[in-house]
Amino acid sequence: MFRVGILTVSDKGFRGERQDTTHLAIREVLAGGPFEVAAYELVPDEPPMIKRVLRLWADREGLDLILTNGGTGLAPRDRTPEATRELLDREVPGLAELMRLVGLRKTPMAALSRGVAGVRGKTLILNLPGSPKGARESLEAVLPVLPHALSLVTGKPWKEGHHE
């Protein structure tokens, strides 16, 4: 099993003005695979808070995969990609490109997503959109390659169809 953290980035959610349903959509997509959600947190659109959680989960908790959702658009407070990029050892642009490509088949608005993907240590980090639908579709787009990617990043053995 790959250990996953879900980080929701939302000012309104943090203030209790909006219920976070996106993390539930993400959990549903992960339920069919070799994933265990080991951490969840909701923070406002504040880069220092985003980076604090990413560092903690990647460096101390040793999570295999961190999925952020929210803060990837064009609004002035949307700064999740910048906060994430500052902490990455290496970007994995193909994953972000794949999420946008698949999203574009459903809505031209997917072109506005600025989410990034990359590796910090032995943790893969993906920025997903903040809406449940956008997060679900983006995650489903990369789901077929995630176990193999995580095996390469973490060193944990994986064969398609089962975990060794």
Side-chain angles (χ1 to χ4, degrees), residues 16-147:
E17 297 171 7
R18 176 186 297 155
Q19 185 178 359
D20 176 22
T21 57
T22 303
H23 82 98
L24 299 174
I26 292 169
R27 288 172 189 266
E28 287 176 11
V29 174
L30 294 175
F35 307 103
E36 170 198 354
V37 176
Y40 164 75
E41 192 164 337
L42 192 155
V43 298
D45 290 272
E46 292 293 338
M49 295 180 82
I50 297 166
K51 291 190 284 189
R52 177 190 59 80
V53 175
L54 294 178
R55 273 193 215 95
L56 173 70
W57 288 355
D59 301 349
R60 287 199 201 151
E61 301 295 326
L63 296 184
D64 302 313
L65 175 65
I66 299 173
L67 301 170
T68 72
N69 66 92
T72 62
L74 299 179
R77 300 262 312 148
D78 289 340
R79 297 179 288 178
T80 303
E82 289 77 15
T84 302
R85 190 175 277 120
E86 285 182 34
L87 299 179
L88 296 177
D89 298 325
R90 298 172 288 155
E91 283 197 49
V92 185
L95 291 176
E97 292 164 4
L98 180 57
M99 289 189 286
R100 280 187 280 276
L101 177 67
V102 170
L104 282 168
R105 294 179 185 149
K106 300 180 185 212
T107 175
M109 298 305 162
L112 302 180
S113 176
R114 300 179 311 106
V116 299
V119 175
R120 177 177 176 89
K122 291 189 171 196
T123 303
L124 181 63
I125 302 173
L126 302 177
N127 296 155
L128 304 175
S131 73
K133 183 176 185 288
R136 174 187 301 278
E137 291 173 356
S138 293
L139 184 54
E140 287 173 345
V142 297
L143 199 61
V145 300
L146 272 186

